[in-house]
Amino acid sequence: MRLTTRSIGVIGNTRQTVLATVIVTAVGAGAQAQCTLGFNSPASHGAGGNPYAVAIDDFNRDGRWDVAVVNYGSNNVSILLGNGDGSLQNAASYAVGSTPQAVAARDFNGDGRPDLVVSNSGAYHVSVLIGRGDGTFAPAVDYGTSPMPMDVEVADFNGDQFPDLATVNLNPPTVSILLGAGDGTFLPAASFAVGYWGQPRALELSDLNGDGRQDVTVVNMMNNSVSVFLGNGNGTFGGETAFGAGAYPMCVESGDLNNDGRPDLCVGTDGGASLLVLTNNGDGTFATGSNYAVGTAALAMEDIDGDGDLDVCAVTGGTLSILAGKADGTLLPPVVFGAGHSASGIGVADLNADGRRDVTLANSGVNSNDVWVLLNTTTCAPGCDPDVNCDGAANGFDIEATEQAVNGDYSNFCQATADLNGDGAENGFDIETEEQRVNGGPC
């Protein structure tokens, strides 16, 4: 198990649920499901000083998700083991380098136990903590990078099946690649320049051109761009290609928003005040998509509403926004929940094993020392589809198939029941309902 990433209120000790209704398009010809997005009010769990970023994995191998959070104010990483019901145990913390800002989990030495890597933005290195498999970790071992690593991600860059590391470094603006030896250690970093004095803030790893090799995307805050470096498959990368990304881009995530098998990019831009979608052309280049007015200090791309399509989670300050994906590369308007205080990091996983993805936030504000867990309470009502014979079109053949089903012949009827009006009986009223639906009436 592994997941790495990024008005509700508490009244006394009670927990309230806040809901918002949003229509999301489900898979199928004309089918729509009505989903009520909701989260329980957040539960606070103590961490270190100024928690900044989150990684989620099963650190003690009990089948339950656990949380790791880096604390830039106390220079450590806190481990909060999950109880399997959405609650977390008290934090145990481990020292890392100066001003840590990112964390990722992966098995670096092949023993089946998740390990951690932390980027230390106030230093010249990353810290690697080898997991013992019981929720505890060995002391950190540091590996050099270029100065001020702001973000760290994990992938296999040279095809040897061992996890490698990539960091994006602020000054000078570079990307550092540390190839893994497979035993939990890493070779010396090789660095290359990015975004001429663009103050790079974050990076994302994915196969952007479909060649089976991991590529690197970097956001450059002062250059108003994202830089793409296509992987050569041997741990090296091709030259930089830059794409406009609005003013002051701060973060980036990748995922397939239009179900074409290509990872698209979501960029938190305008200094964290809006979200820009860049649609993948399939060759490592991008077309500019829609822009959404929503706070974006941190992003995650997950299926929050359970319709099978990726949604976007955006967090900033004290708000969590969910933008439901429409599977065509666009997003529905944000549904906003009050959450956290100066939240800067987000992790998404099903913490209570109810089949819905929950949200964990790192609160990095002044005097902040906690993470918040918001349990997902989203429900979706089954949608209706006028294409009852599943031929890809809604027309008179569907009315005929409904009539046949009402009379006992389901050979041309592909839905679970012919009771289309939900009155408990299959009869002429259902044929009339189908005729209305085929002619554009509401489901």
Side-chain angles (χ1 to χ4, degrees), residues 67-105:
V67 173
V69 56
V70 288
N71 311 295
Y72 77 80
S74 51
N75 297 330
N76 57 13
V77 57
S78 296
I79 308 300
L80 298 89
L81 299 179
N83 294 316
D85 59 358
S87 65
L88 303 174
Q89 297 177 29
N90 291 336
S93 297
Y94 299 83
V96 293
S98 174
T99 323
Q101 288 204 352
V103 58

Side-chain angles (χ1 to χ4, degrees), residues 225-305:
S225 66
V226 295
S227 297
V228 170
F229 300 85
L230 298 180
N232 295 320
N234 60 0
T236 67
F237 294 82
E240 177 179 12
T241 303
F243 302 89
Y248 304 110
M250 302 286 288
C251 56
V252 61
E253 288 289 324
S254 65
D256 184 6
L257 288 176
N258 57 359
N259 291 343
D260 65 355
R262 307 164 180 171
D264 308 303
L265 298 179
C266 283
V267 182
T269 188
D270 292 331
S274 66
L275 171 70
L276 176 66
V277 174
L278 299 176
T279 302
N280 193 340
N281 294 321
D283 58 358
T285 66
F286 293 86
T288 301
S290 301
N291 194 293
Y292 303 86
V294 62
T296 51
L299 295 171
M301 299 176 71
E302 295 283 348
D303 181 12
I304 297 297
D305 55 32

Side-chain angles (χ1 to χ4, degrees), residues 344-355:
S344 61
I346 182 171
V348 181
D350 181 9
L351 297 179
N352 60 351
D354 66 352

Side-chain angles (χ1 to χ4, degrees), residues 75-236:
N75 297 330
N76 57 13
V77 57
S78 296
I79 308 300
L80 298 89
L81 299 179
N83 294 316
D85 59 358
S87 65
L88 303 174
Q89 297 177 29
N90 291 336
S93 297
Y94 299 83
V96 293
S98 174
T99 323
Q101 288 204 352
V103 58
R106 197 67 59 91
D107 178 10
F108 296 134
N109 58 356
D111 63 357
R113 306 165 180 172
D115 311 307
L116 292 174
V117 60
V118 173
S119 64
N120 303 301
S121 66
Y124 291 55
H125 58 255
V126 295
S127 297
V128 172
L129 298 90
I130 299 299
R132 297 188 175 109
D134 59 359
T136 67
F137 291 81
V141 176
D142 297 334
Y143 295 87
T145 65
S146 288
M148 303 178 68
M150 304 298 291
D151 195 8
V152 62
E153 297 284 347
V154 184
D156 178 11
F157 296 122
N158 59 355
D160 63 359
Q161 309 304 310
F162 300 144
D164 308 313
L165 306 180
T167 68
V168 63
N169 315 297
L170 185 61
N171 187 18
T174 54
V175 171
S176 294
I177 303 298
L178 296 85
L179 297 179
D183 59 358
T185 65
F186 294 86
L187 301 181
S191 299
F192 52 87
V194 58
Y196 179 72
W197 293 111
Q199 291 194 18
R201 306 294 294 189
L203 82 164
E204 176 71 358
L205 308 178
S206 52
D207 179 10
L208 298 176
N209 59 351
D211 64 355
R213 303 166 180 171
Q214 290 293 307
D215 309 310
V216 174
T217 302
V218 175
V219 290
N220 305 299
M221 184 178 71
M222 298 307 294
N223 281 356
N224 302 333
S225 66
V226 295
S227 297
V228 170
F229 300 85
L230 298 180
N232 295 320
N234 60 0
T236 67

